[in-house]
Structure formats: C-alpha cells, structure tokens
C-alpha cells in the first residue's frame, strides 16, 4: 500500500512570483495514445510526468508502443500505426485515472484482442458503462466483469468493428474520445454527436496527426465525423500548462491579501476556461498577458492579483468547461461576499470521488455555510473561515488541493488526511506553492 501523507496548510503571507504549473493532463494522455497510433516517431516536450500519465505510458508500451524519456519532460514515441496494437500479456492497471482507462478501452475496442483493465480503489468505483455501451455497439464485448459497469473488467475487441453514430447521453469528453479512438481502426465514418461542447483535445490532435475529421454544428452541440483507418503522421508536440492545475495557485492568489503572481504558459482552449470566466464575474483581477497560439492551442500567461470577490450564479451550461474546477471554485466562493449558486453538477458525483459530497462535508467541517443539492451547491461566503478541521480526501487529488488552498487563508490550519494522490496530476504542488509563499506542514505516516 502507498504511504499515507497527511498535510496541513496554514494562514500564509502574500503569494508572489512566477510559476509554470505542470503540463496538461488531458493532452498528455492523448499525446501518448495518438503518438503510439502514428507510423513513425513523435517527439513530445513538456509531457506531464505524473502518475496518471505514466499509467497510460505503461499501457501503451504493454500494447507494443515504444515510449522513452529522452530528457526533462522530453519523450520519444515510436508508433505502431492505427490497428497495429498487440495483445498485452498482463492486465493494464490505470491506477487512479478515469481518462486513461476510458480512452484505452476505446482504442482496444476495435482491435481483435482481449485485454484486462484494472485500477485503484477510487477508479474501481467509477462507472465504465458509459463507454462500454457504445463500444458494444461497435462490436466489442465484455468477457468478464462484476456488474458490467466497474473495473476490473476484461474487454474483447471487435474482429470486424462497425462504424456507429452515437449521441452522448452525458457531456463527457472521455466517452466522445473513446468512440473516436475506436474509430481509428474501424472502416467507415464514426460519428459522435455531443449536445454540449466538451473539451476537444482529441479532435484537435487527430487533425494535427492528419486524420480526416468533419465537425459541424448541430441545432444543439456538434456532430463529429471521423473517417476510419487513417494513416496518422507523426509530429512534434509541446504540451502547455494545465488550466486545471493552474486553478489552485490562481484561487490561492485571489484569496490571500497582497498576492500578485504570474502563471506561465496556461492553455486557454475555450472548452477549458469556464473557471476564468466565472472568477472574472466574481471580480477577480486576472489579466491574460502574451496570448499566443502554439501547437493548435491558445496559450497565455495569467497575472493574478488578490481580489475582493463577490458571489455569483454559475449556470449549468458552463459545467463542461470547468468540470474539474468546482472544488477550487468552492474555495473562492467561501471567501467571496454574498452567495454563490452552482448548478448542473451531477457529473461531480462520479469523478475520482463524489466531489459534491466531499466538498460539502469539507465545507461543513471548516465552518462554511452551504447547501448541497442533488446536482447543485450553494455557498454563503464570508471574509473569515474557522478551518481547524481534518478533511477526508477520498483518494481525490482535487479535493486534497482545494482544501489545502482553503487552509492558506482560514483562521486555523486545515489538514488533509492524505495528499499522496496529488501526484496523479500535480507532482511538486507543495514545493511550487511553497516557493510562492504558501505554508504547509507535511508528516508522512
Ligand atoms: C477529461 C474529461 C473530463 C474530466 C477529466 C479529463 C478528458 O471527464 O473531468 O478530468 O481528458 O477527456 P468526463 O469526460 O467524464 O467529463
């Protein structure tokens, strides 16, 4: 068993300085998967070297990809081409990563091979039926699983995969991506219709590697058509900083009086910027400096100054563009004047933990007035929050980081029961935040 790592955060001096948070997790998964699906060598710089991504790298290696670290953040991928994966001789263990497992289920679904998928205790509670259903329509079948919805499970890919047209019942980039990845080794046109736009990194990277994609707006959402069995050409990828990781120092700087920081190279893809929009509505002083295009994504440096925040209504339509940012938005809302109401949060219940319940429990423990609905959350902000609690993180990195940020401004320190999972997305979180001026105490058990 991994070591349990309780961490405390206490009232801190202003945060000052510059930070490049780790690279984008979503793009890093896709770089490894699509790099392996190319014929030839792809060079990646600034790959996120976190546990979730290393699990995907191991899975791609086990299926024949050659993935090698060549320097700091620099990786070389020698691809096997679409349809070129080979049957792994051991189960693929995705650890804590929902993105890794769901995307790889899609990839495997159109290969004539049988693969066992597993994960840690948190991942083994998360629903897989949402991807398995369309993959069954494509022709894949579940050979073994407890309830056809959870890991561990064994998937037999289709010998003759069928192109389907599938309308997403939930706004999920993982489900969309799983179907498109299955489409790589499927003859014909694989079609996904998404009623609400979700992060589009798979589409962007597929186009970059030369796949034929047709994206058209629908009355509601978008229709995405992928022409199957493309020959993907390798390329060079430089991965920008992850806006979902940047969210933590960003909110910390907003709530700690006197703070003034710059977050470097943050990806500003419009399918990911819901938190920035919301915080600006709350009165946050966030200035985008040096906005530029790099590798098909808009990126920029964010100057963030401590701000007087006020409560707002966050519409459910914004949820897909900030789905991973609600835990830390709760922290901003807790220190804002007035009330914040967040709607359309149903998907938070099936993340690395039930994030809605975990946030509500933590807010209660720290003395923040709030109300948890089935898929909504109401928070009544205050200038001072008692803190002084130990928070259950439920193996969820974003719950862990959110409450550590809250502890940097609460009256008494906040302790999280276990910070080990932070390494799944933001290795170096404690050191990088400490360098900006945050105060933490770590005690390994
Ligand atoms: C992700 C999609 C989102 C997000 C997750 C990463 C991706 O999940 O929460 O952290 O990389 O496609 P859903 O697709 O379940 O919304």
């Amino acid at each position: 068993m991994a070591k349990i790592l309780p961490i405390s955060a206490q009232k801190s001096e202003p945060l000052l300085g510059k930070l490049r948070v780790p690279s984008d997790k979503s793009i890093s998964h896709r770089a490894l998967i699509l790099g392996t699906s190319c014929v030839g060598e792809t060079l990646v710089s600034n790959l996120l070297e976190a546990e979730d991504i290393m699990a995907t790298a191991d899975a791609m290696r086990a299926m024949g990809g050659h993935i090698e670290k060549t320097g700091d953040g620099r990786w070389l991928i020698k691809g096997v081409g679409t349809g070129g994966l080979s049957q792994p001789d051991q189960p693929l263990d995705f650890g804590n990563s929902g993105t890794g497992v769901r995307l790889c289920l899609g990839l495997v679904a159109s290969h004539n091979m049988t693969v066992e998928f597993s994960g840690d205790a948190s991942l083994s509670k998360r629903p897989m039926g949402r991807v398995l259903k369309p993959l069954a329509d494509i022709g894949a079948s579940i050979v073994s699983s407890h309830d056809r919805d959870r890991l561990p499970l064994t998937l037999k890919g289709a010998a003759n995969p069928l192109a389907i047209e599938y309308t997403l019942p939930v706004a999920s980039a993982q489900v969309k991506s799983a179907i498109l990845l299955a489409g790589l080794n499927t003859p014909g046109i694989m079609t996904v219709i998404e009623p609400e736009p979700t992060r589009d990194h798979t589409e962007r990277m597929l186009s970059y590697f030369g796949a034929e994609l047709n994206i058209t707006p629908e009355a509601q959402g978008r229709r995405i058509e992928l022409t199957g069995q493309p020959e993907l050409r390798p390329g060079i990828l430089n991965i920008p900083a992850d806006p979902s990781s940047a969210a933590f120092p960003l909110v910390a700087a907003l709530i700690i009086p006197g703070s003034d920081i710059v977050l470097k190279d943050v990806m500003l893809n419009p399918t990911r910027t819901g938190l920035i929009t919301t915080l600006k509505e709350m009165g946050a002083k966030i200035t985008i400096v040096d906005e530029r295009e790099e590798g098909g994504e808009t990126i920029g440096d964010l100057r963030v100054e401590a701000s007087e925040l006020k409560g707002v209504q966050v519409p459910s339509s914004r949820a897909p563009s900030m789905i991973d940012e609600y835990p830390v938005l709760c922290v901003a809302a807790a220190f804002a004047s007035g009330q914040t109401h967040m709607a359309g949060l149903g998907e938070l219940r099936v993340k690395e933990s039930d994030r809605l319940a975990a946030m509500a429990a933590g807010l209660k423990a720290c003395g923040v007035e709030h109300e948890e609905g089935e898929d909504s959350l109401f928070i009544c902000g205050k200038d001072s929050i008692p803190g002084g609690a130990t928070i259950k993180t439920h193996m969820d990195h974003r719950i862990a980081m959110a409450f550590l940020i809250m502890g940097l401004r609460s009256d008494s320190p906040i302790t999280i029961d276990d910070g080990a999972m932070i390494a799944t997305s933001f290795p170096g979180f404690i050191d990088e935040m400490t360098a900006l001026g945050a105060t933490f105490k770590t005690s390994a058990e």
Side-chain angles (χ1 to χ4, degrees), residues 18-351:
K18 287 186 184 172
L19 168 62
R20 188 205 189 267
V21 298
S23 294
D24 191 70
K25 185 145 77 83
S26 293
I27 298 184
S28 296
H29 281 296
R30 287 153 173 87
L32 293 169
I33 293 170
L34 290 181
T36 302
S37 304
C38 291
V39 179
E41 296 187 355
T42 290
L43 292 171
V44 185
S45 52
N46 287 313
L47 185 84
L48 171 64
E49 293 174 354
E51 287 172 6
D52 278 11
I53 301 306
M54 294 304 117
T56 293
D58 286 345
M60 300 319 298
R61 283 191 193 104
M63 293 191 285
H66 176 96
I67 296 172
E68 183 191 334
K69 180 168 167 147
T70 55
D72 191 20
R74 301 174 76 82
W75 291 72
L76 169 70
I77 307 170
K78 291 183 190 159
V80 296
T82 52
L85 297 179
S86 47
Q87 175 154 328
D89 50 21
Q90 78 259 23
L92 304 182
D93 181 354
F94 288 90
N96 195 249
S97 176
T99 306
V101 75
R102 294 194 179 113
L103 266 51
C104 288
L105 281 164
L107 194 68
V108 164
S110 56
H111 284 75
N112 187 12
M113 60 189 191
T114 301
V115 181
E116 277 181 74
F117 292 82
S118 68
D120 70 11
S122 153
L123 189 55
S124 303
K125 286 189 203 146
R126 299 180 64 187
M128 296 297 139
R130 54 178 57 198
V131 264
L132 295 172
K133 180 171 180 315
L135 299 182
D137 296 346
I138 290 165
S141 54
I142 305 170
V143 178
S144 88
S145 133
H146 295 306
D147 63 359
R148 310 186 77 75
D149 193 26
R150 317 273 154 189
L151 299 178
L153 63 84
T154 304
L155 189 77
K156 182 170 178 354
N160 297 300
L162 291 174
I164 59 167
E165 177 175 310
Y166 192 76
T167 302
L168 298 181
V170 281
S172 168
Q174 293 175 358
V175 179
K176 169 178 69 177
S177 301
I179 299 167
L180 292 175
L181 292 173
L184 285 179
N185 194 34
T186 302
I189 311 269
M190 192 67 87
T191 306
V192 184
I193 298 162
E194 55 175 5
E196 288 179 86
T198 64
R199 64 191 68 193
D200 59 358
H201 309 303
T202 303
E203 297 92 302
R204 284 176 190 241
M205 205 182 286
L206 278 169
S207 298
Y208 174 73
F209 281 132
E212 198 181 318
L213 267 183
N214 203 0
I215 301 176
T216 42
E218 290 268 293
Q220 264 198 321
R222 308 184 316 146
R223 180 185 185 87
I224 304 148
E225 296 172 332
L226 170 70
T227 304
Q229 299 179 311
E231 179 154 328
L232 299 183
R233 294 184 305 266
I236 294 175
L237 295 169
N238 182 18
I239 305 187
D242 193 329
S244 300
S245 294
F248 297 99
L250 196 167
V251 168
L254 291 175
I255 62 172
I256 300 173
S259 298
D260 189 348
I261 63 167
V262 174
L263 298 167
K264 305 276 299 166
D265 305 341
V266 180
M267 182 179 54
L268 298 170
N269 178 317
T271 62
R272 300 285 299 280
T273 48
L275 178 73
I276 295 178
T277 305
T278 304
L279 290 170
K280 282 189 165 176
E281 287 174 3
M282 295 173 82
K285 287 187 226 155
I286 303 172
T287 321
I288 299 174
V289 191
D290 191 17
E291 191 169 317
R292 55 212 189 266
E293 293 294 317
E294 257 185 48
E297 295 284 0
T298 304
I299 67 172
D301 299 343
L302 303 182
R303 179 172 177 205
V304 187
E305 296 166 82
S307 309
E308 298 285 330
L309 300 177
K310 58 179 181 357
V312 290
Q313 301 272 338
V314 190
S316 56
S317 57
R318 202 174 287 161
S321 66
M322 55 177 296
I323 194 65
D324 294 332
E325 281 66 83
Y326 285 100
V328 79
L329 175 64
C330 291
V331 178
F335 288 105
S337 61
Q339 303 169 349
T340 294
H341 187 266
M342 308 166 208
L345 308 187
E347 277 296 295
L348 293 193
R349 298 222 178 260
V350 291
K351 294 297 176 188

Side-chain angles (χ1 to χ4, degrees), residues 423-438:
T424 61
S425 68
F426 198 155
F429 172 78
I430 294 294
D431 290 347
E432 308 275 15
M433 292 296 300
T434 303
L436 291 179

